[in-house]
Each structure stands twice: as structure tokens, then as C-alpha cells.
Amino acid sequence: MRVVFGHGLTPLRGQVVELGVSRAVVICTPDRTELAQTVTQTVGSAAIGVLAEAVMHVPVDVVDRCEQQCRDLDCDGYIAVGGRSAIGLARALALRTDAPIIAVPTTYSGSEMTPVWGITDSGVKRTGRSRAVLPRAVIYDPTLTAGLPAPISVTSGMNAIAHAVEGLYAPDRSPITSLMAREGAQALASALPQLVHRPHDLESRSEALYGAWLCGAVLGATTMSLHHNLCHILGGTFNLPHAPTHAIVLPHVLAFNASWAPEMVTALAAVFGDGDPWTALWDLQKSLPMSMALSDLGLRKADIPDVVRRVTANPYHNPRPINGPDITNLLERAWAGSAPGLQTSAAEPSRVLSKEPS
């Protein structure tokens, strides 16, 4: 995997040539077609078309339709331009066709650094890991993020921080991934307020991309846990927006696991500000332009029991055993936008898996 930092798309053509791609399809969301056209001009004759069909949560019908179009074009590679939706669609296509991906991220989620794919089918988001979906090259250009609205900058950055936080209590963490997690979270916690107050500061945008790179690489190397399980259900089943959901849930799961993951608490000391990490993170979020409550994103309080049922029926690994009452408590806080807080267990724990389902 090649990672290139710089200003401008000049390195993109070289990566296309190195990978031997001659019939690339550029993948984006409908609102990024202008940027996709710029990419095709940069790549030249090696880019044969634009698929501006990426949407949130990668619905299976979109994947089916785009796969057929790519096969009809005899496509031999994908250039994903944009955020998680574009990269997610490219992953789903690569999973089926084994054609390589080049990612040009324009948000700060860091998802481009992982071998994790996700496809939503009949209201259920299925995920897995495959080397086939890991981009062969990533081009980080801060100028491409300069027009990103502040709320999207903030929530995508918080999404990346969630990757790092889970990596700090993953069963397969290592001293290296833990160092990367702290460094990545710290870079984003420092850069995000600057992006809000000085949106044209390319140095801060470069710092945010650096943090996203590290946090995404942590997720790529470790096991997903309760946080991602909750967000996959909230997104795939209830269609909540991906990054804002991750941002809201994050401090609540951090507090939930704190007593069971002391190494995480130590690693995050002072990263988000003074005090315990979950409260400092929540206070940082309140100072930034983002929603603080799942109710703001469209989740009904009446939906919480269904979320709890799904989480406890198919749990991912988590350091703290989970049960219905505890998860209900967590979700009710996140739904209302209340401050996160340490919880004492309300019932006997349910089973805990060793890794996320594939």
C-alpha cells in the first residue's frame, strides 16, 4: 500500500501507471462529479468513466447495478474520490471483481486505510475484512478538503477518532497500534477546532489528514468492538448518517468501557483536554458544530429496544461484557444528548465474542 501526502493530484497518474491500470472507473457521490471529472482529466486515457452513484451505507442494489456497469466497461481498477460512501462502494466492487482501488479521500474518517468492507442488504449491514478491498494507493491532498463544510469536517474526524479509541482496547492491539492511536487522536483533536475557526488553513487540514491516516490504520490492524457494532446497526438498520452517528456514540462507549480498559484511559489522558477522557471529549464536541444527540439524527426513543436486541443478539468483542439494561442506559444517554458517565452493571453479562463477525 502506497500513501502519498502532498498538494495537488499530480502523483495520481504515477500510481495508476505503477498499478498497471488502463481502464479505471472514477467513483464518487452525485455531489462530487466536478472533482471526479478533474480526476479523469489528471489520469487521462486511463480513466474511462465516472460512476457518481455512491450513497451512504453501500446498499446492495447500488453495488449490483454498478458492478454490471463496470463489467460492461471492462474496468480494471477503481479511483474512489470523496468520503466513506465513495470508498465504501469501491470496496464492495473490488470485493466482487478483485480490481485494485486508488483512494483520494476528501474527508477525515480514515476509512481508506482499512481492509473492512460493508454492504447493507434488507436493513442489515454486513461487514467483513479482505485484502482485496484495501486500496493499493492513497493520495492525501489537503487542498481537496478545503471546501468541506465544518460539520462534515468535525464528524468525519470524530469518526476517525472512534477507530483509534477502539484500537486502544482491542484484544489484538500492540504497543505500536496504541502509539498510533494516541498520536492520531491527538492530531485530530488539535486540528478540528482550527478547521472550524480557520477553514482555509491548509496546515491544519494536513494535520487532520495525518490523524485520519493513523486512526484508519489502527482500525485496519485491530478488531472492531461495541462502538462499531452499535453504529453499524444505527446506520444499516435505521439509516442514521454514518459519521455523525459515530461522533455522538463515541464518548458514551468510551465511558462505558473505561473501568474495563484502564490502558485506554491512560493513553487518552489530556488528549481531548483536562479531566477524564470521555467528559473532555464530550466538552470538545460541544464546542464544535455537530449534533450531540441521536434524536437529532432521526432515531426515535421507541427504536432503542430494537437496537439493544440486535446488539445483544450478535455482539462484537468488547472488554466490558454487555447486557440489555446497560446498553439501554448507554443509548438513552446518547439519544438525549446527555453527558456520558461511568455506569455500574445493571444485570448479568451476556456472551462476548473474540472478534467482530465477518
Side-chain angles (χ1 to χ4, degrees):
M1 186 182 192
R2 306 181 187 100
V3 177
V4 180
F5 281 83
H7 291 194
L9 288 172
T10 303
L12 180 57
R13 176 185 279 273
Q15 298 304 319
V16 170
V17 171
E18 281 199 44
L19 288 172
V21 173
S22 61
R23 298 185 62 79
V25 168
V26 181
I27 295 174
C28 66
T29 52
D31 61 325
R32 302 314 300 265
T33 53
E34 185 176 345
L35 176 56
Q37 292 296 342
T38 300
V39 167
T40 61
Q41 293 167 12
T42 301
V43 174
S45 60
I48 59 170
V50 173
L51 274 181
E53 298 196 36
V55 294
M56 189 170 62
H57 304 310
V58 197
V60 69
D61 60 319
V62 174
V63 180
D64 292 342
R65 184 171 63 251
C66 290
E67 179 190 2
Q68 188 58 55
Q69 292 180 59
C70 288
R71 291 190 183 280
D72 291 344
L73 290 169
D74 197 22
C75 162
D76 65 356
Y78 308 105
I79 302 175
V81 183
R84 187 176 181 88
S85 295
I87 294 169
L89 177 55
R91 288 184 192 285
L93 294 171
L95 185 68
R96 294 183 176 187
T97 66
D98 209 33
I101 302 170
I102 299 174
V104 185
T106 61
T107 67
Y108 305 114
S109 73
S111 64
E112 63 280 351
M113 292 302 301
T114 80
V116 178
W117 57 268
I119 299 174
T120 299
D121 187 2
S122 302
V124 177
K125 188 167 187 176
R126 297 182 295 110
T127 65
R129 291 176 182 255
S130 170
R131 290 184 61 84
V133 309
L134 184 69
R136 307 287 182 86
V138 179
I139 310 295
Y140 286 115
D141 176 5
T143 65
L144 298 181
T145 70
L148 198 63
I152 297 178
S153 294
V154 168
T155 55
S156 68
M158 289 292 167
N159 186 7
I161 291 173
H163 303 334
V165 169
E166 281 215 320
L168 287 169
Y169 54 71
D172 47 2
R173 66 188 181 278
S174 71
I176 298 300
T177 59
S178 294
L179 284 172
M180 292 168 63
R182 177 182 168 86
E183 175 76 4
Q186 195 158 40
L188 281 160
S190 173
L192 292 178
Q194 299 302 317
L195 301 187
V196 173
H197 301 302
R198 305 205 320 261
H200 302 294
D201 180 6
L202 291 182
E203 184 176 344
S204 294
R205 293 193 177 277
S206 294
E207 182 77 357
L209 287 173
Y210 168 69
W213 166 57
L214 288 172
C215 292
V218 170
L219 177 64
T222 57
T223 296
M224 291 187 290
S225 301
L226 173 63
H227 173 95
H228 277 83
N229 193 5
L230 282 167
C231 292
H232 288 164
I233 292 167
L234 291 167
T237 303
F238 297 92
N239 204 37
L240 269 60
H242 184 89
T245 300
H246 275 270
I248 292 170
V249 168
L250 175 57
H252 297 279
V253 176
L254 203 168
F256 180 87
N257 281 327
S259 297
W260 293 71
E263 292 179 1
M264 172 194 69
V265 177
T266 300
L268 294 175
V271 166
F272 307 121
D274 296 333
D276 59 72
W278 51 96
T279 301
L281 176 58
W282 192 70
D283 288 340
L284 173 62
Q285 290 181 337
K286 286 194 299 179
S287 72
L288 300 172
M290 59 167 277
S291 297
M292 298 296 294
L294 293 176
S295 58
D296 294 340
L297 305 185
L299 186 73
R300 301 175 305 158
K301 193 169 186 179
D303 293 328
I304 291 177
D306 192 12
V307 180
V308 173
R309 179 182 62 79
R310 292 171 185 270
V311 171
T312 54
N314 188 29
Y316 292 12
H317 170 275
N318 198 61
R320 173 178 175 171
I322 68 168
N323 56 61
D326 287 352
I327 299 302
T328 299
N329 187 323
L330 185 160
L331 285 169
E332 286 180 345
R333 285 176 177 269
W335 180 84
S338 303
L342 290 171
Q343 301 177 30
T344 56
S345 183
E348 287 300 311
S350 64
R351 64 189 179 93
V352 181
L353 300 183
S354 60
K355 60 181 180 178
E356 78 270 15
S358 60

